Amino acid sequence: MIDLFEFPLEEIICHNVVKLFEDESDFNYFMNLVIKNSAVSNFECSMKSKTGKLIDVLISLKKYDYGKSQGCGYQGIIRDVTQQKLYFQELIRSRQELRNLTAYIESRREKERTDIAREIHDVLGQSLTALRIDLSWLRKKVNNGEKEIIDKIGIMDRLINDIIITVRRLSANLRPGILDDLGLA
């Protein structure tokens, strides 16, 4: 207690214990527990040193009753948990930062998926549709007697159709439209 509360031995012996508690109601509650149960373990509160420095502590105290002629006495342990509380608060803060970072990364990833899906659907889809229209125009310009060219145009048309289907599938897999329409729920 001398080291923890920064009092010299002479002062701590006669010092009123209630003055070491930051809040007098904590002292009253603690003593009521001791009287009621004859012992208290790991009571958490804030206490203050001679210089006014606040100390987070855990107090364990046992009351000993020696009879009417000798009275009673107490034996206790006060543990400074200030540093542990600071570490715990830092851990909570860093976990919250990690949650925030994870949420940010996930939102960025989702935005990138949406952008890529739109780019694939809009740009590539439009280009393939324009190519298909040009191929249809070319088919109309070819004479019916040029079977090889007509067959080649048919093959190209099926290939373009397959690519359009693949583009739609890729776009939907990257960002299902239902997410935009209805949301995740």
Side-chain angles (χ1 to χ4, degrees):
M1 285 187 70
I2 292 169
D3 292 340
L4 186 61
F5 293 105
E6 303 170 335
F7 281 96
L9 180 61
E10 306 79 43
E11 285 184 45
I12 201 104
I13 290 174
C14 298
H15 195 79
N16 187 350
V17 177
V18 71
K19 300 210 185 281
L20 295 175
F21 283 76
E22 178 190 19
D23 186 350
E24 190 174 328
S25 64
D26 283 343
F27 172 77
N28 293 331
Y29 181 69
F30 175 71
M31 288 311 295
N32 285 334
L33 287 174
V34 171
I35 291 166
K36 179 181 174 186
N37 302 319
S38 295
V40 174
S41 293
N42 296 324
F43 181 82
E44 187 173 347
C45 65
S46 286
M47 298 182 89
K48 56 188 173 193
S49 70
K50 181 177 183 176
T51 60
K53 178 178 80 174
L54 292 181
I55 307 162
D56 293 314
V57 297
L58 289 177
I59 306 173
S60 295
L61 187 74
K62 179 156 178 58
K63 178 181 178 184
Y64 291 95
D65 197 348
Y66 300 110
K68 287 185 178 184
S69 62
Q70 293 181 325
C72 66
Y74 299 94
Q75 179 182 11
I77 297 172
I78 300 175
R79 285 179 289 173
D80 182 357
V81 293
T82 306
Q83 199 62 43
Q84 288 92 326
K85 284 185 85 170
L86 290 174
Y87 290 148
F88 185 70
Q89 290 168 353
E90 178 63 23
L91 179 64
I92 289 172
R93 187 193 62 74
S94 66
R95 282 187 176 174
Q96 186 59 46
E97 283 181 3
L98 187 58
R99 277 190 211 102
N100 294 343
L101 179 61
T102 302
Y104 173 76
I105 289 170
E106 192 57 37
S107 71
R108 294 299 306 160
R109 182 180 296 152
E110 201 56 41
K111 184 178 180 335
E112 284 178 21
R113 284 182 178 163
T114 302
D115 292 346
I116 291 169
R118 282 197 184 110
E119 191 77 19
I120 288 173
H121 182 267
D122 295 348
V123 175
L124 197 53
Q126 286 177 2
S127 297
L128 288 168
T129 301
L131 190 58
R132 196 169 196 195
I133 291 170
D134 287 346
L135 198 59
S136 176
W137 178 84
L138 189 60
R139 181 181 294 145
K140 291 177 187 174
K141 297 293 181 181
V142 173
N143 295 330
N144 288 339
E146 299 181 43
K147 183 160 176 34
E148 283 183 24
I149 294 175
I150 292 173
D151 290 344
K152 191 63 170 174
I153 289 174
I155 292 170
M156 290 171 65
D157 189 42
R158 285 189 296 279
L159 183 61
I160 290 171
N161 190 48
D162 290 346
I163 294 172
I164 288 172
I165 291 169
T166 302
V167 165
R168 285 182 185 153
R169 184 177 45 80
L170 285 173
S171 180
N173 285 344
L174 278 170
R175 179 70 179 181
I178 198 164
L179 281 179
D180 293 326
D181 298 337
L182 300 177
L184 191 57

